[in-house]
Amino acid sequence: MAFFEPDKFFMRISHIDIERDLLSLGLKHALLDIDNTILTRDTRELPRDVAVWLGRARDAGITFCLVSNSTQEQTMQELSERLDIPVVLRSMKPLPQGYLRGMRILGGTKEDTVMIGDQMATDIVGAHLVGMKAYMVAPLVGVDLPHTVILRWMERVMLGDQTPEPLTPATQQMLDEA
Ligand SMILES: [Mg+2]
């Protein structure tokens, strides 16, 4: 497994096919990055397709834990309560502790848990350090913190010609109905 290579790459979290990309691969738990993966960084909104996807995945038996490096702990705590999804604050990604805590909360293992996030240097590398799968998504909005801009440039270089997974008919239908 290449450290800097996500196991799969998607345009948005809602493009992950719950059957093809999770259940059929034995993945039952997902650790979720927050900023720009499920919440827009600029307006702090949960896009409708993301909310619908989270609901569908939960209906299918997937459990979630938010794993955040954010310093806005109040906001993250409120989000956790609103979504009814536990949160690991001050996770210090890419260090392993946050991933391990999230896995423990969910009762998962590194074989049946996947990290989903938009940043190579934190979300993806950290998951691979722990030995779990990592799915990368394109950031929801193009507004990033200054230090992230440099990391984005590195990501483009490292992702190379890796292209997003195509939408499956089932996922397309879910999005059309959302
Ligand atoms: Mg992020």
Side-chain angles (χ1 to χ4, degrees):
M1 169 161 54
F3 263 49
F4 294 101
E5 201 176 297
D7 295 272
K8 285 176 185 274
F9 173 48
F10 302 89
M11 282 310 291
R12 298 169 77 81
I13 192 170
S14 60
H15 289 196
I16 296 175
D17 185 286
I18 294 160
E19 181 60 41
R20 176 194 64 183
D21 302 313
L22 297 174
L23 298 174
S24 76
L25 301 176
L27 297 169
K28 296 187 277 194
H29 313 284
L31 307 181
L32 302 175
D33 169 56
I34 298 175
D35 271 339
N36 257 342
T37 296
I38 65 166
L39 272 199
T40 55
R41 189 189 282 287
D42 51 356
T43 54
R44 324 288 317 168
E45 276 169 59
L46 181 75
R48 178 159 172 73
D49 63 302
V50 175
V52 168
W53 185 86
L54 288 171
R56 291 293 179 90
R58 286 177 121 178
D59 289 346
I62 306 293
T63 64
F64 294 111
C65 183
L66 308 171
V67 178
S68 173
N69 279 3
S70 174
T71 51
Q72 296 170 305
E73 298 190 1
Q74 175 91 24
T75 310
M76 300 301 133
Q77 197 71 57
E78 282 166 10
L79 178 73
S80 166
E81 280 160 28
R82 179 154 62 101
L83 297 178
D84 192 24
I85 294 177
V87 62
V88 175
L89 297 169
R90 286 161 291 186
S91 65
M92 296 173 69
K93 292 176 285 185
L95 296 180
Q97 60 202 46
Y99 301 83
L100 297 174
R101 266 168 62 201
M103 248 190 321
R104 211 173 305 130
I105 288 170
L106 298 177
T109 66
K110 61 187 195 310
E111 285 77 29
D112 66 10
T113 309
V114 61
M115 174 73 206
I116 304 173
D118 70 307
Q119 286 190 47
M120 181 80 75
T122 52
D123 303 312
I124 307 306
V125 168
H128 285 167
L129 278 171
V130 170
M132 66 169 67
K133 280 196 165 63
Y135 289 175
M136 189 162 168
V137 294
L140 283 174
V141 287
V143 181
D144 268 322
L145 302 172
H147 74 265
T148 309
V149 173
I150 295 162
L151 295 173
R152 292 289 173 214
W153 175 80
M154 286 167 56
E155 279 163 8
R156 277 199 294 277
V157 172
M158 288 185 288
L159 271 175
D161 57 3
Q162 188 168 359
T163 52
E165 298 283 331
L167 269 172
T168 61
T171 306
Q172 181 71 63
Q173 191 186 346
M174 185 202 79
L175 293 173
D176 289 345
E177 289 167 359

